Amino acid sequence: MTLHQLQDDDAQSIPPLMADAPRSVEFNKLRKRLLRSTRQALDDFAMVKPGEKWLVALSGGKDSYGLLAILLDLQWRGLLPVELLACNLDQGQPNFPKHILPDYLSRHGIAHRIEYRDTYSIVTEKVPENATYCALCSRLRRGNLYRVAREEGCSALVLGHHREDILETFFLNLFHGARLAAMPPKLLNDDGDLMVLRPLSYCAEGDLAKFAEAMRFPIIPCDLCGSQDGLQRNAMKEMIAEMERRMPGRKEAMIRALANVRPSHLLDTKLFDFAAL
């Protein structure tokens, strides 16, 4: 089956995770749009090597649920010839509902591993009061996920970052880091033994939100640790959303621009030999 041959499902052609999904035309179009965008990213960035095993990070948010569902759908269709292992890292946040993810994964027969590491205590100890936890929390989480991936014999850690995440990172680097950089869809980790993959790189956050609502995923909020408002990323999100309201289609244009770089039209002498002109 090619990228453009994702045909409509009939009553006998439904992956197990989709058994309770809506049967509406609108949902079917949404699902196919997400499948096509994900398949396009998998192809464009040569993410798939048949026979490999991927660790799919599952936080309990809309994006990671959507990632897992889309990958399982592609796998069910025979379009993703890899083994998938879902993994949630329980970081010891207060009031974290420990039963939700294992119950959901077990109910749907999804291979998974729940890993407990109390990184919350480390973060609250190291980060000054009124500072944001996210940066250190993310580094500790990533390190533990790398370890789990190695223990499980996985070749890749798969994350649920979407189009808007990439654009927000680009503007954060532009405005606060004085560099042109975003989130790469495919990245080799520093140790050189694991790939980090972002198959949702072309997927719109709005589509993932609609998908999560329609699928009735048991969402676990990201404010369990008391995450503070007013983060720089939130400011970038609001800025991009306002640009899209004023000039519809800007998000799609910007994500395409990140794949259409002309070094000779920038100012980086390490990328282009201006002296040789």
Side-chain angles (χ1 to χ4, degrees), residues 15-231:
L17 194 60
M18 298 289 174
D20 298 324
R23 296 291 182 265
S24 67
V25 172
E26 183 180 2
F27 176 78
N28 196 49
K29 288 181 178 178
L30 171 65
R31 175 186 166 202
K32 295 297 171 59
R33 187 160 63 246
L34 288 169
L35 287 170
R36 283 194 296 269
S37 295
T38 302
R39 182 85 190 282
Q40 189 68 59
L42 293 172
D43 289 349
D44 284 354
F45 303 105
M47 295 186 189
V48 180
K49 292 183 179 179
E52 289 189 335
K53 184 177 182 181
W54 290 0
L55 189 76
V56 183
L58 185 65
S59 67
K62 70 180 190 316
D63 303 329
S64 62
Y65 273 121
L67 169 69
L68 179 62
I70 293 165
L71 293 181
L72 286 170
D73 200 343
L74 288 171
Q75 185 189 59
W76 176 83
R77 293 168 180 270
L79 298 174
L80 186 62
V82 301
E83 182 181 351
L84 301 174
L85 178 66
C87 179
N88 172 252
L89 179 65
D90 180 347
Q91 297 179 263
Q93 297 102 324
N95 303 316
F96 184 80
K98 297 177 181 294
H99 64 286
I100 289 181
L101 285 169
D103 287 355
Y104 176 82
L105 295 166
S106 297
R107 184 167 67 253
H108 291 285
I110 299 170
H112 64 277
R113 172 170 168 176
I114 306 297
E115 181 75 5
Y116 177 79
R117 282 293 185 277
D118 184 9
T119 62
Y120 173 78
S121 296
I122 298 174
V123 171
T124 53
E125 177 185 345
K126 299 292 185 183
V127 177
E129 188 176 356
N130 298 324
T132 57
Y133 298 153
C134 298
L136 179 57
C137 181
S138 177
R139 288 197 296 273
L140 293 173
R141 181 171 62 249
R142 184 72 61 86
N144 277 287
L145 288 172
Y146 283 160
R147 173 183 55 79
V148 172
R150 295 182 182 107
E151 291 174 359
E152 294 290 344
C154 297
S155 60
L157 171 63
V158 190
L159 304 175
H161 295 122
H162 47 65
R163 181 186 69 181
E164 278 74 5
D165 287 323
I166 292 174
L167 293 177
E168 290 159 20
T169 300
F170 173 78
F171 283 109
L172 279 170
N173 284 322
L174 178 66
F175 294 150
H176 299 284
R179 61 182 178 272
L180 295 180
M183 282 180 175
K186 180 180 180 181
L187 174 71
L188 186 64
N189 72 334
D190 291 340
D191 291 334
D193 64 336
L194 291 169
M195 284 292 179
V196 179
L197 305 177
R198 297 182 172 96
L200 302 184
S201 291
Y202 293 151
C203 293
E205 182 177 16
D207 281 349
L208 289 166
K210 293 175 185 176
F211 185 68
E213 182 178 3
M215 290 290 291
R216 298 189 294 276
F217 293 138
I219 303 296
I220 300 173
C222 191
D223 58 359
L224 294 165
C225 61
S227 297
Q228 302 87 342
D229 292 330
L231 302 179

